[in-house]
DNA sequence: GCTTGACCTTGACGTAACGTCAACTCCTAC
DNA sequence: GTAGGAGTTGACGTTACGTCAAGGTCAAGC
């Protein structure tokens, strides 16, 4: 088969030829046949698949929609009538935008984590369950509440005895476990149970020297609300509070609590 | 089992308990065990899995990295030493950014296609292989080259006889097929073969009344270069030129040709 | 007439990270 | 003794094909 014959125009093509023509593979065409998306126009007595002009056109439409990211079932439906095509694309577009925003948040989160690691953090080496890691959040605390806040909190922690720390750690772990259980049970953020946890959480925070509000018996309102948002946005916190559901519950319960008590 | 016992701090948890604690499912934990990512600290004589503190910490690290979008094998490697974690995250970040840009292009493409459909286009109803669809590109042509260009090209096409159109269509289809074959063969854009195709392509374009350069025997340089970029960016074109590889070859060959001849 | 080689076929496994039965065992409480 | 709520190990389904594997078909060259 020479070049001339290879590219001469005919009214029927083999599976390889048509695959090359549109830049895909024969495996893909067999797949489309198998799922009923594109059947060959003719099947030889030897089982070979042959495609004609209309089949080629349909294939091209399929590939256009595929390039745009539509799943094959959606392409199937869209090709049944052109009305559906626009609707499917519109729906797909909102999905694309949503996914874009998700990636944006994820990338930002990765960047923060890299920065934390670079500045000496240890990827939850000492976290809520085995000792609250102060260095972990150094940057964020300093940025929001000043270097003094961080330094005094850090000094306080380092000044504790081993027994003190273990007791503190157990408290924190218990709090995290209770939040997790409450989230799992679908507790309402405004419920008495959640508000009791919020109270414990606030007490705990107020007990840490250096946090805004320490000494007044209750944390500063802005600090508490900001902390709640951080819990939800940062997977390092979510891991200690029963995942995203848990972190969301903590934030919402703290909001309600802050409105009532601060 | 009452609430107190449920949330009391212990040194060992069942699979359900630990799943709830971190906000995931027991199935996930069994999966992690199966792939060697996280083994239970102990397995009872009855086959039950039990997890202790260190296992919980490891699980939390896993979930943090998973939230950040890392695949499980990468998490596996990252947890072996903290050095790798930062490197893995950095690599992952570039992937995220790349994917973000891809989605951006895809979304833009979807928007253009929706606009084309809304303004009466028919999703490649008459394309390169069954008749160049002028209405398809109305918007783009008008935007770049003015409404006159579009109108005169359209009138010319509508004024053709059936036989004229068939002849023209065959020419265009042959050109597309030859481009596809060349792309498949890995032809160099600067090669004699590709340049011969580019010449045919330019001749063809120049033969369409209304295109910039029609009447001069060769298309306008800017028009030709812009068209090449459009070929690559728009899947509707790619479908007729052997996919992305084909469209890229056309663009690059036209660039070389334009430098030499325009 | 036979080999060679390109092309075709169907069948089946692999991919990522689990969700979702199914069938069965274990343990505690009433 | 039994009901129910754990736990266990399979095994299939998900997306859109890639990638063998084993074997049939066809035109060309000796």
């Amino acid at each position: 088969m020479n070049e001339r014959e290879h590219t001469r125009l005919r009214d029927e093509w083999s599976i390889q030829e048509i695959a090359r023509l549109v830049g895909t593979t024969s495996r893909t065409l067999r797949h489309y046949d198998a799922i009923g998306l594109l059947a060959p126009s003719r099947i030889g007595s030897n089982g070979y698949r042959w495609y004609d002009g209309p089949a080629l056109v349909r294939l091209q439409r399929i590939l256009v929609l595929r390039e745009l990211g539509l799943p094959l079932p959606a392409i199937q439906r869209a090709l049944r009538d052109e009305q559906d095509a626009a609707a499917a694309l519109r729906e797909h577009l909102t999905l694309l935008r949503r996914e874009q925003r998700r990636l944006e948040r994820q990338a930002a989160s990765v960047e923060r984590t890299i920065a934390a690691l670079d500045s000496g953090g240890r990827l939850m080496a000492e976290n809520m369950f085995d000792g609250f890691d102060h260095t972990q959040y150094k940057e964020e605390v300093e940025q929001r509440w000043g270097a003094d806040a961080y330094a005094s909190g850090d000094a306080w922690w380092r000044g504790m005895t081993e027994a003190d720390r273990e007791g503190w750690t157990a408290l924190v772990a218990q709090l995290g476990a209770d939040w997790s259980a409450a989230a799992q049970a679908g507790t309402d953020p405004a419920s008495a149970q959640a508000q009791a946890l919020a109270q414990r959480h606030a007490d705990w925070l107020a007990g840490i020297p250096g946090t805004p509000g320490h000494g007044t018996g209750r944390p500063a309102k802005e600090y508490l609300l900001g902390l709640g948002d951080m819990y939800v946005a940062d997977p390092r916190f979510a891991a200690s509070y029963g995942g995203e559901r848990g972190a969301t519950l903590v934030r919402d319960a703290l909001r309600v609590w802050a409105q009532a008590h601060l």
Side-chain angles (χ1 to χ4, degrees), chain A residues 12 49 69 71-72 78 98 110 112 125 146 152 169 180 184 190 230 260:
Chain A
E12 206 170 39
R49 291 172 176 81
L72 299 189
R98 209 200 321 278
V110 169
R112 284 207 309 276
S152 77
T169 294
S180 293
Q184 191 64 31
M230 253 164 69

Side-chain angles (χ1 to χ4, degrees), chain A residues 30-77:
Chain A
R30 275 194 287 274
H31 182 59
Y32 290 171
D33 188 11
I35 65 175
L37 180 57
L38 175 68
S41 51
R42 187 173 73 83
I43 296 189
S45 58
N46 53 11
Y48 284 25
R49 291 172 176 81
W50 297 96
Y51 297 83
D52 61 7
L56 174 54
V57 170
R58 182 176 171 90
L59 174 57
Q60 290 180 316
R61 294 186 196 180
I62 290 170
L63 294 180
V64 166
L65 294 176
R66 191 190 65 170
E67 278 298 302
L68 296 178
L70 263 80
L72 299 189
I75 294 178
Q76 184 105 274
R77 285 189 298 275

Side-chain angles (χ1 to χ4, degrees), chain A residues 155-223:
Chain A
W156 160 77
W157 177 255
R158 294 190 194 287
M160 275 174 140
T161 71
E162 190 65 30
D164 285 344
R165 281 190 214 171
E166 271 180 25
W168 186 261
T169 294
L171 252 176
V172 175
Q174 182 66 58
L175 186 56
D178 289 351
W179 275 121
S180 293
Q184 191 64 31
T187 307
D188 184 78
S191 70
Q193 211 182 353
Q195 286 305 301
L197 283 171
Q199 178 75 52
R200 279 170 60 196
H201 201 99
D203 289 346
W204 163 62
L205 285 172
I208 303 175
T211 60
H214 173 68
T216 72
R218 55 200 65 224
K221 185 170 183 180
E222 284 309 310
Y223 172 66

Side-chain angles (χ1 to χ4, degrees), chain A residues 2-251:
Chain A
N2 63 28
E3 171 93 1
R4 280 248 138 267
E5 286 184 16
H6 201 179
T7 59
R8 182 175 304 154
L9 216 60
R10 283 162 313 175
D11 52 1
E12 206 170 39
W13 299 270
S14 78
I15 193 168
Q16 282 278 11
E17 290 171 331
I18 206 159
R20 274 201 285 264
L21 219 49
V22 299
T24 184
T25 70
S26 59
R27 177 67 181 89
T28 296
L29 294 172
R30 275 194 287 274
H31 182 59
Y32 290 171
D33 188 11
I35 65 175
L37 180 57
L38 175 68
S41 51
R42 187 173 73 83
I43 296 189
S45 58
N46 53 11
Y48 284 25
R49 291 172 176 81
W50 297 96
Y51 297 83
D52 61 7
L56 174 54
V57 170
R58 182 176 171 90
L59 174 57
Q60 290 180 316
R61 294 186 196 180
I62 290 170
L63 294 180
V64 166
L65 294 176
R66 191 190 65 170
E67 278 298 302
L68 296 178
L70 263 80
L72 299 189
I75 294 178
Q76 184 105 274
R77 285 189 298 275
L79 287 185
R80 277 206 278 272
D81 69 311
E82 300 276 322
Q83 242 70 29
D84 280 11
L89 286 176
R90 253 182 274 273
E91 188 178 347
H92 182 55
L93 186 57
T94 74
L95 283 180
L96 282 178
R97 294 303 188 194
R98 209 200 321 278
E99 180 68 4
Q100 247 186 316
R101 284 194 299 274
R102 196 182 67 82
L103 283 185
E104 174 53 43
R105 285 196 303 272
Q106 199 168 73
S109 209
V110 169
E111 278 178 346
R112 284 207 309 276
T113 305
I114 289 176
L117 285 176
D118 283 351
S119 66
R122 283 178 53 214
L123 195 56
M124 309 216 2
E126 314 172 82
N127 66 0
M128 298 292 290
F129 279 93
D130 61 346
F132 187 72
D133 180 7
H134 286 67
T135 64
Q136 184 77 55
Y137 313 117
K138 181 176 189 294
E139 198 177 341
E140 282 137 352
V141 170
E142 283 190 353
Q143 194 176 334
R144 288 185 185 237
W145 310 104
D148 283 356
Y150 173 75
S152 77
D154 194 49
W156 160 77
W157 177 255
R158 294 190 194 287
M160 275 174 140
T161 71
E162 190 65 30
D164 285 344
R165 281 190 214 171
E166 271 180 25
W168 186 261
T169 294
L171 252 176
V172 175
Q174 182 66 58
L175 186 56
D178 289 351
W179 275 121
S180 293
Q184 191 64 31
T187 307
D188 184 78
S191 70
Q193 211 182 353
Q195 286 305 301
L197 283 171
Q199 178 75 52
R200 279 170 60 196
H201 201 99
D203 289 346
W204 163 62
L205 285 172
I208 303 175
T211 60
H214 173 68
T216 72
R218 55 200 65 224
K221 185 170 183 180
E222 284 309 310
Y223 172 66
L224 197 62
L225 296 179
L227 211 55
D229 289 334
M230 253 164 69
Y231 287 167
V232 174
D234 195 320
R236 288 174 291 167
F237 289 94
S240 299
Y241 288 115
E244 199 188 328
R245 283 188 61 185
T248 305
L249 171 62
V250 175
R251 181 195 60 184

